[in-house]
Amino acid sequence: MNDGGKNDPLPVKSQEQAEHLVRSLVDSLAEEYDLKVDGKTVHKEFRDCFGKEGESADDGRFDLTYAARAALPEPEHGKAIRAMRKRLEAQGYKISGYREDKTKDPWALMDAKGGKDNLFVSVESYMPPNQLVFSVNTPCFLPPGVKQQQVSAPAPNTTPIAPVLPAKAPASAHRFADNPFG
């Protein structure tokens, strides 16, 4: 039976390995523009992983959300993010959102996903305007030495559903409505 990929093998990493991976990426991006991440601004959160349909397992799988800031004069934000974009693209990331528009808030931002660990990375101007914020979300990781539990697929819906077309198309689901890339 096809389970839609719900039971594909998860990448294996400990929480310490995941944090090191993310911190190394943030540090390397900051160093691309000679910045230093302020360790006092680091916020990290390990959470249990859930599937697209709310599936869960008790095998210890987790993901990590990580954020930190670095000081940088506001006029330099666009130039710094351009340098970081080039580095991420060279590492196999796909840029899903990018903006340099001083009429918007935040005016400088970049979203990317990929690399060998399939991370989601965001860098953007932050208030006060003399900082950049780096955010990274990991995919689900399975702790080393743990057998991955199989998650059963939900039963298919057998009731036919007629499509309902809205009178007006809903607003864009993009992160920024004016940005066609995210």
Side-chain angles (χ1 to χ4, degrees), residues 88-137:
L88 287 172
E89 288 175 327
Q91 294 176 348
Y93 284 81
K94 182 177 184 237
I95 305 303
S96 57
Y98 185 83
R99 172 170 75 206
E100 285 186 57
D101 183 347
K102 292 197 178 195
T103 67
K104 307 290 183 194
D105 186 27
W107 76 267
L109 66 88
M110 173 189 55
D111 294 330
K113 184 172 183 183
K116 69 180 184 79
D117 293 297
N118 199 30
L119 302 174
F120 177 80
V121 183
S122 180
V123 182
E124 61 188 65
S125 296
Y126 187 77
M127 297 304 287
N130 62 343
Q131 296 183 337
L132 287 179
V133 65
F134 299 83
S135 303
V136 181
N137 293 327

Side-chain angles (χ1 to χ4, degrees), residues 1-169:
M1 177 176 152
N2 180 356
D3 66 5
K6 287 179 177 47
N7 291 305
D8 290 350
L10 294 173
V12 175
K13 289 205 185 305
S14 68
Q15 288 187 351
E16 294 79 19
Q17 290 169 320
E19 184 176 350
H20 183 282
L21 169 73
V22 169
R23 180 62 192 237
S24 295
L25 175 62
V26 168
D27 286 345
S28 74
L29 289 175
E31 289 167 3
E32 190 67 24
Y33 203 72
D34 293 326
L35 303 176
K36 181 151 175 59
V37 171
D38 180 353
K40 296 175 189 172
T41 67
V42 170
H43 176 77
K44 63 182 176 183
E45 183 177 356
F46 292 97
R47 299 175 307 218
D48 294 335
C49 286
F50 293 97
K52 291 178 188 174
E53 304 297 325
E55 307 91 354
S56 65
D58 295 321
D59 55 11
R61 61 184 71 183
F62 68 92
D63 60 23
L64 169 61
T65 300
Y66 185 97
R69 297 189 304 260
L72 180 67
E74 186 265 343
E76 296 291 313
H77 289 193
K79 189 174 179 183
I81 287 177
R82 284 192 298 274
M84 293 171 202
R85 176 183 182 157
K86 284 183 181 181
R87 180 180 191 107
L88 287 172
E89 288 175 327
Q91 294 176 348
Y93 284 81
K94 182 177 184 237
I95 305 303
S96 57
Y98 185 83
R99 172 170 75 206
E100 285 186 57
D101 183 347
K102 292 197 178 195
T103 67
K104 307 290 183 194
D105 186 27
W107 76 267
L109 66 88
M110 173 189 55
D111 294 330
K113 184 172 183 183
K116 69 180 184 79
D117 293 297
N118 199 30
L119 302 174
F120 177 80
V121 183
S122 180
V123 182
E124 61 188 65
S125 296
Y126 187 77
M127 297 304 287
N130 62 343
Q131 296 183 337
L132 287 179
V133 65
F134 299 83
S135 303
V136 181
N137 293 327
T138 70
C140 254
F141 290 125
L142 189 67
V146 174
K147 184 177 190 296
Q148 181 174 333
Q149 291 179 352
Q150 299 298 294
V151 179
S152 61
N157 184 350
T158 57
T159 308
I161 299 174
V164 177
L165 299 175
K168 181 179 174 190

